[in-house]
Amino acid sequence: MIRSTTNSVLKNYRYNLQHSTNILNNSRDTVLTGRRYNSFADDPASVSQSFHLRSSLLKLDSQYGACESAVRKYDVAWSTLNTVVEDSKRAKEAILKGGDDTAGAGRNALGKELTQLAKDIVHTMNAKYGDNFVFAGADGLNVPFEFNENGLFYRGINVNSTDPKDIEALKLITEGEKKYADIGLGLKEDANGEIITTSGYNIAMHGTKFLGYGQDDDGDPKNIVSIISRMGQILEGCDDNGDFKPGEREEYYRLSSKFEKAAASLTNEYTTLDTQASFLKENKKNMEATSFTLQEQILAIEKVDPADAIISFAWAQYSYNAALKVGNSILSQSLMDYMSH
């Protein structure tokens, strides 16, 4: 009977001591890791909630990267177009001087200046962000503009072509070609597998949208580079007295008004780009705020208060030590009772 009682006491003691040991170990782990749980079984509801929050954060991080890349690309585009706009202002000054009746022999030098400005604008518009050409639309790996003796070409098509097929191709590229980025607007596809335009952000920028393409009803180019280049040729063709070749004075003054229209279009598109860049930067800030909120929510679920964790550990340590003392007493008394019988 005594042996049976002693075994029962020892069994209960071992169970309680093991329980205290587990609590102590878990409390120690909590202090060391700072986490509320270490497995799904510890807190299924919290683990599930944390999983969903971390999934949202992971997706947001990817979208933030796309948005940040777009912001940097637009920064390069803005800086590039700022240079082009300034070049167009210098071209305007040279054009006005070239049209002044007092220009005389200085027209040749002004013509060279305009010719060089046209080349400079083309070179500037071939700017790159990373490995991609900024103003090449969705075809970022190939040089968008080429300027040679045959004229100005955009992605292999003469921007002043009279061929309707070329003009249609340029229109399709400039107005129809898109490249969408997922910047947190809820990128989705419709039933046909096409991106819903309001759910993504089109980051394709086409140089022809800023510089223009095609010809007007007079057969003059709409492209500002072609206009500047032609006006430069006219001034360079003046004689030593600054006199125009027959018929070219009229063409020069006609192109002057066409230049004003092309320059105004360039400025308008530049302003639009600035607005788009501002939207992207604001969207980036909003995503940073959302990321911060998600991280705070995750921490609130997963992390414990250090003070509470230390207090719990101290109590677990106290309970464990008390259990050991009780164990010593029980073992000693049980052994004495066993030996006395």
Side-chain angles (χ1 to χ4, degrees):
M1 181 67 178
I2 295 175
R3 184 184 295 273
S4 176
T5 302
T6 300
N7 288 338
S8 176
V9 170
L10 291 175
K11 182 177 180 181
N12 289 333
Y13 169 69
R14 283 196 299 269
Y15 173 81
N16 292 329
L17 181 62
Q18 184 63 44
H19 181 66
S20 297
T21 302
N22 289 337
I23 293 177
L24 177 62
N25 290 335
N26 290 336
S27 298
R28 182 184 293 108
D29 289 343
T30 299
V31 171
L32 294 176
T33 64
R35 293 177 57 85
R36 290 181 181 275
Y37 51 81
N38 293 304
S39 68
F40 181 81
D42 292 340
D43 191 343
S46 295
V47 173
S48 178
Q49 187 178 3
S50 176
F51 173 78
H52 289 298
L53 288 173
R54 284 190 173 278
S55 296
S56 297
L57 182 60
L58 184 63
K59 183 178 180 180
L60 180 65
D61 287 343
S62 176
Q63 294 168 336
Y64 180 83
C67 184
E68 185 175 37
S69 178
V71 168
R72 292 178 179 176
K73 178 180 179 180
Y74 270 74
D75 282 343
V76 173
W78 186 90
S79 177
T80 299
L81 286 176
N82 183 63
T83 300
V84 173
V85 169
E86 291 302 315
D87 282 345
S88 71
K89 291 178 180 179
R90 284 191 285 272
K92 180 177 181 179
E93 293 177 2
I95 289 171
L96 291 175
K97 291 178 181 178
D100 193 318
D101 290 336
T102 63
R107 283 192 170 121
N108 295 131
L110 290 170
K112 287 183 173 62
E113 181 181 352
L114 288 174
T115 299
Q116 186 58 51
L117 281 171
K119 294 178 180 178
D120 289 345
I121 290 175
V122 172
H123 178 74
T124 301
M125 289 297 289
N126 284 334
K128 297 178 72 175
Y129 166 58
D131 295 327
N132 293 281
F133 292 94
V134 175
F135 295 104
D139 183 22
L141 297 179
N142 295 300
V143 180
F145 287 105
E146 182 183 356
F147 198 25
N148 56 41
E149 64 276 4
N150 296 317
L152 179 64
F153 293 78
Y154 182 72
R155 287 169 58 169
I157 306 173
N158 192 319
V159 299
N160 302 316
S161 174
T162 57
D163 188 337
K165 292 183 178 179
D166 288 342
I167 299 303
E168 184 61 28
L170 287 171
K171 181 179 180 180
L172 182 62
I173 292 173
T174 305
E175 301 177 19
E177 186 181 76
K178 312 291 183 182
K179 184 178 181 180
Y180 290 102
D182 185 1
I183 61 169
L185 302 180
L187 189 67
K188 292 183 179 179
E189 296 181 350
D190 59 21
N192 298 319
E194 299 293 329
I195 298 295
I196 299 175
T197 57
T198 55
S199 69
Y201 197 85
N202 178 30
I203 59 172
M205 288 182 277
H206 302 88
T208 43
K209 189 174 184 66
F210 301 94
L211 302 186
Y213 65 93
Q215 296 182 356
D216 60 20
D217 294 337
D218 297 325
D220 293 324
K222 295 180 180 180
N223 180 274
I224 191 171
V225 170
S226 299
I227 294 173
I228 294 173
S229 177
R230 176 54 187 156
M231 297 184 79
Q233 290 175 353
I234 292 175
L235 292 181
E236 285 191 78
C238 292
D239 61 23
D240 293 341
N241 296 320
D243 293 329
F244 291 96
K245 290 180 179 179
E248 290 191 349
R249 173 185 288 272
E250 293 76 11
E251 182 184 2
Y252 185 86
Y253 287 110
R254 186 178 72 248
L255 287 175
S256 294
S257 63
K258 307 292 178 70
F259 169 80
E260 291 290 343
K261 185 176 181 179
S265 177
L266 170 63
T267 301
N268 289 337
E269 293 296 338
Y270 175 55
T271 301
T272 299
L273 180 79
D274 186 56
T275 301
Q276 294 171 336
S278 297
F279 167 79
L280 285 171
K281 290 178 181 178
E282 187 62 30
N283 186 71
K284 179 184 173 184
K285 290 181 180 178
N286 292 337
M287 295 178 79
E288 289 171 349
T290 301
S291 176
F292 180 77
T293 299
L294 285 173
Q295 291 181 59
E296 280 194 322
Q297 291 177 331
I298 292 172
L299 287 175
I301 294 172
E302 296 183 350
K303 300 300 180 180
V304 297
D305 181 271
D308 290 342
I310 292 174
I311 291 174
S312 296
F313 173 68
W315 178 251
Q317 182 72 59
Y318 172 80
S319 299
Y320 175 76
N321 291 336
L324 289 179
K325 291 181 179 180
V326 171
N328 290 333
S329 176
I330 292 176
L331 288 174
S332 298
Q333 186 61 45
S334 298
L335 180 60
M336 293 297 295
D337 289 341
Y338 178 78
M339 292 179 66
S340 64
H341 294 79

